[in-house]
Amino acid sequence: MSKEEVERNEEGMFEKWRAETEEKIDRWRQREVNLPNPPPDNADDHVKEEFEELRTRELTMRSPTFYEQNLEVWRQLWRVTELSSILLVLLDARCPPLHYPPSLHAYLSTLRPPRKIILVLTKIDIVGPDRVNKWKAWLKTQYPEAKIVGVESYRIQVGKGSKVKHLPHIPPQYLSELIDAMELSHQELLAPPDRIKDDPAKLAKWQPRVRKVVNWNVVRKGESAADNDSGPVFIKGDEKGFGDEEEGEESEEKEMKEVLEPLTIGLIGQPNVGKSSLLNALFGTIKVKASRTPGKVRFIPVQLL
């Protein structure tokens, strides 16, 4: 299927979904304001007009339900999740549940082949270690299969005069915790699924869907993947996706071939949650622009670590 065909299908499905969603929201809002039943078709015109005025007034007074209606934003999410084997879902440590709605978790859980999820609490220096640990414990009860880590992405350097610079930086203990979670996720991806384990013939030929060898010590030292040919790829942006592989004979045939491409790790999260800051901190330098303005960075190329 060509890129144009994929995009046309996405546009059609998106418009259908948006129309259905608007209808559901409208029904929900009508229930909430307890509108009377609409007048019958044979009612006087002034009765119908009064009802419409009441309906418009009541619904307008209700706070609107906000959700993303820009298809390109959704495509960013789809492409990153299609390409990545491990997903870092960034959550602001001040209120993590606000940044990881059940709908996002449900979508990530349906991806095939399954992705490994790491929940990353950002801006933990704002809330302090006690609250961070409590949020980690709570998130673990809600998402037991996910790994949960915390990060800081800046260190403050006082400049001349009153100027203060925020330099990309992750303290060693948090960097180690994040890389350990990624390494463990990679190891889990190398394990054959139960349907393969139970079939000795398939198990003998099975190959993992991700690259077997990743030198995580090189990643910890911050050395270049281009020099070592062993590091992961971090991606957050508009890249060509390959789609989810279907279950069946074709999928199993692909599992028999060794994967040589780098391990791909995607960053996803809501605006201003700290995606660009974390990416810069991982490299120890400014690779992408970070801003207080939501949506400042919209398309980011692949970065090799």
Side-chain angles (χ1 to χ4, degrees), residues 85-89 115-121 136 140 145-151 172-189 214 216 219-220 232 234 263 265 282:
S85 299
I86 299 174
L87 291 169
L88 306 185
V89 184
R115 274 58 163 180
K116 293 300 176 181
I117 307 298
I118 301 176
L119 302 181
V120 182
L121 297 176
K136 284 183 177 181
K140 199 62 181 178
E145 296 183 357
K147 298 163 186 63
I148 304 162
V149 302
V151 297
Q173 68 271 28
Y174 300 135
L175 178 60
S176 177
E177 183 183 19
L178 176 59
I179 294 177
D180 286 346
M182 292 189 291
E183 182 178 9
L184 180 57
S185 297
H186 177 237
Q187 293 173 355
E188 293 173 353
L189 290 169
V214 172
W216 291 101
V219 179
R220 287 186 174 87
F234 285 86
L263 176 67
I265 301 173
L282 287 169

Side-chain angles (χ1 to χ4, degrees), residues 30-243:
Q30 288 189 52
R31 287 200 304 270
E32 289 295 310
V33 297
N34 296 317
L35 284 174
N37 293 327
D41 294 337
N42 59 355
D44 293 338
D45 290 341
H46 75 277
V47 175
K48 294 180 180 179
E49 290 174 1
E50 289 179 355
F51 174 79
E52 286 302 320
E53 289 177 1
L54 173 63
R55 179 179 181 277
T56 301
R57 184 173 63 252
E58 292 294 331
L59 294 183
T60 302
M61 292 173 62
R62 297 286 298 174
S63 175
T65 298
F66 295 105
Y67 68 97
E68 184 56 62
Q69 299 191 44
N70 186 342
L71 176 57
E72 290 305 317
V73 175
W74 288 100
R75 280 176 171 156
Q76 296 300 304
L77 173 65
W78 298 336
R79 298 299 175 264
V80 173
T81 54
E82 285 169 1
L83 277 169
S84 305
S85 299
I86 299 174
L87 291 169
L88 306 185
V89 184
L90 276 60
L91 318 176
D92 191 315
R94 288 170 290 185
C95 188
L98 184 64
H99 300 277
Y100 194 45
S103 56
L104 176 59
H105 176 71
Y107 165 69
L108 297 180
S109 300
T110 63
L111 295 172
R112 293 294 179 270
R115 274 58 163 180
K116 293 300 176 181
I117 307 298
I118 301 176
L119 302 181
V120 182
L121 297 176
T122 62
K123 310 176 185 180
I124 62 175
D125 51 313
I126 297 177
V127 300
D130 184 54
R131 289 189 179 182
V132 169
N133 291 332
K134 289 180 179 179
W135 275 125
K136 284 183 177 181
W138 183 84
L139 288 168
K140 199 62 181 178
T141 63
Q142 303 299 309
Y143 312 105
E145 296 183 357
K147 298 163 186 63
I148 304 162
V149 302
V151 297
E152 297 177 15
S153 299
Y154 289 104
R155 63 180 173 187
I156 297 176
Q157 182 182 58
V158 179
K160 294 181 180 180
S162 59
K163 293 183 178 179
V164 176
K165 293 183 179 179
H166 294 78
L167 303 179
H169 173 72
I170 298 183
Q173 68 271 28
Y174 300 135
L175 178 60
S176 177
E177 183 183 19
L178 176 59
I179 294 177
D180 286 346
M182 292 189 291
E183 182 178 9
L184 180 57
S185 297
H186 177 237
Q187 293 173 355
E188 293 173 353
L189 290 169
L190 298 179
D194 292 337
R195 60 186 175 82
I196 298 295
K197 288 180 181 179
D198 298 337
D199 190 324
K202 291 182 179 179
L203 183 60
K205 299 179 181 179
W206 182 83
Q207 294 289 343
R209 296 178 183 267
V210 298
R211 185 186 187 131
K212 288 183 178 180
V213 179
V214 172
N215 192 336
W216 291 101
N217 290 327
V218 169
V219 179
R220 287 186 174 87
K221 294 177 183 178
E223 297 177 11
S224 172
D227 297 333
N228 293 278
D229 193 29
S230 59
V233 168
F234 285 86
I235 176 174
K236 180 173 75 75
D238 186 22
E239 298 293 333
K240 182 179 179 182
F242 300 100

